Amino acid sequence: MAHLCSAHQVSQRRACTVLGVDRSSVRYRSVRPDDAELRQAMKAVGAERRRFGYRRVHVMLERQGWQVSQKKLRRLYREEKLQVKKRGGRKRAIGTRRPMVVPERPNERWSLDFVSDAFTDGRRFRVLAVVDDFTRECLALVADTSLSGPRVTRELTTIMARQGRPKTIVSDNGTELTSMAVLQWCQDTQIDWHYIAPGKPMQNAFVESFNGSFRDELLNETLFSSLAEAREKITAWKEDYNRNRPHSSLGNLTPQEFAIKSRLETKAA
């Protein structure tokens, strides 16, 4: 229509008649808002969590207070070209995450990670380790042949019922820990989950240090013939670690002694 008007010097009415186009369609101007703030928030989430699709981005935005339909978010997600690209070749680190503050009291930050080992018959099993970064206390060692995202959230809920609610949880980007079950659990509990940068385990140093002690003092020293035996010995080691093993970074106090001391100091203050 614009070409006919400019090239043949005809009116807009005449051009629309020739082309069979309704003039209301030609003159229509969109009144849809540009959603600039929503787009910026969506891009911020996409920049921090580059492997999240629009469904997980939608969950993260809801946690920030945005009320937007998944259909609209999908449209904006595609317009901003945030689609997750398929990986090629080996995995590589893709940047960093925001810096973490040093914990100053119990339950301010928990760290968790998985440790793998094998039974005497060659079958593999995994252990979920959860550590309080301030007291260095081992909150849980969950051993099983399979540990899914929903299982992780159930175990964390059990720990919270006993220990209290953490402010932040730190982990790597494993598939179990970036699942929809974990994201939904974070939304329901309003707990901040911090993902370290891929390929940077030193950003989760507290639980990595714990894993080293756990493997050196128990896993490398013990043969497990069954899951029941592994659970029994792992639980006994956890209790000894918390109650009897002195920790040099805590002034040679045990994690449990340090936790009790810090809580008393908090109450006194």
Side-chain angles (χ1 to χ4, degrees):
M1 191 279 299
H3 173 73
L4 287 180
C5 291
S6 60
H8 300 282
Q9 300 298 311
V10 298
S11 66
Q12 188 181 84
R13 183 191 301 273
R14 177 63 175 166
C16 288
T17 302
V18 171
L19 296 176
V21 177
D22 196 304
R23 277 197 301 160
S24 61
S25 299
V26 174
R27 293 183 175 184
Y28 175 77
R29 295 294 179 266
S30 175
V31 295
R32 176 185 289 170
D34 60 1
D35 297 305
E37 293 184 2
L38 176 58
R39 290 174 186 267
Q40 189 63 33
M42 181 180 61
K43 288 191 287 186
V45 174
E48 183 179 353
R49 294 182 166 87
R50 304 186 190 186
R51 302 304 299 173
F52 278 16
Y54 75 91
R55 292 183 180 87
R56 286 196 176 99
V57 171
H58 183 254
V59 173
M60 301 299 292
L61 289 177
E62 282 188 336
R63 290 172 56 188
Q64 297 178 15
W66 288 97
Q67 297 297 323
V68 57
S69 69
Q70 194 175 94
K71 183 177 179 180
K72 177 178 179 179
L73 185 74
R74 181 172 182 268
R75 174 177 61 80
L76 298 178
Y77 183 86
R78 297 185 66 175
E79 288 178 2
E80 296 296 333
K81 295 180 171 50
L82 297 176
Q83 294 96 323
V84 178
K85 297 180 180 179
K86 292 184 178 180
R87 291 191 184 274
R90 66 182 181 87
K91 294 181 180 179
R92 302 177 186 272
I94 54 174
T96 59
R97 301 295 188 262
R98 63 187 184 278
M100 295 184 296
V101 297
V102 177
E104 297 180 347
R105 58 186 63 86
N107 284 347
E108 186 165 351
R109 189 173 75 206
W110 293 358
S111 296
L112 57 85
D113 197 9
F114 292 102
V115 184
S116 297
D117 203 17
F119 299 118
T120 52
D121 60 4
R123 291 180 298 128
R124 306 291 298 181
F125 70 96
R126 306 177 78 195
V127 181
L128 171 65
V130 185
V131 176
D132 187 306
D133 289 355
F134 179 72
T135 65
R136 310 297 200 276
E137 188 176 7
C138 177
L139 305 178
L141 283 175
V142 183
D144 212 330
T145 53
S146 176
L147 291 166
S148 62
R151 175 68 182 281
V152 170
T153 60
R154 290 199 301 271
E155 296 295 340
L156 290 175
T157 301
T158 301
I159 299 170
M160 284 172 54
R162 182 180 71 249
Q163 294 291 133
R165 183 176 179 276
K167 182 178 180 181
T168 304
I169 295 178
V170 184
S171 77
D172 60 20
N173 294 267
T175 54
E176 303 89 348
L177 305 178
T178 56
S179 65
M180 289 298 293
V182 169
L183 293 177
Q184 185 63 51
W185 183 83
C186 291
Q187 181 178 352
D188 295 340
T189 59
Q190 295 298 304
I191 293 175
D192 180 34
W193 195 295
H194 180 98
Y195 292 103
I196 66 172
K200 301 290 184 180
M202 68 286 295
Q203 294 181 5
N204 204 9
F206 291 100
V207 75
E208 290 291 342
S209 175
F210 172 82
N211 288 346
S213 300
F214 177 46
R215 184 170 295 281
D216 182 57
E217 297 176 14
L218 180 70
L219 298 183
N220 290 347
E221 297 291 320
T222 311
L223 295 176
F224 305 108
S225 59
S226 66
L227 183 59
E229 180 186 4
R231 286 173 171 169
E232 180 182 355
K233 292 183 178 179
I234 288 172
T235 300
W237 183 88
K238 179 177 77 73
E239 293 302 313
D240 180 71
Y241 177 89
N242 286 334
R243 298 172 183 270
N244 303 317
R245 184 183 183 278
H247 207 294
S248 58
S249 65
L250 303 179
N252 287 326
L253 295 175
T254 67
Q256 194 172 76
E257 290 172 343
F258 184 78
I260 294 172
K261 177 184 175 182
S262 62
R263 289 188 176 97
L264 291 175
E265 290 176 349
T266 301
K267 289 181 179 179

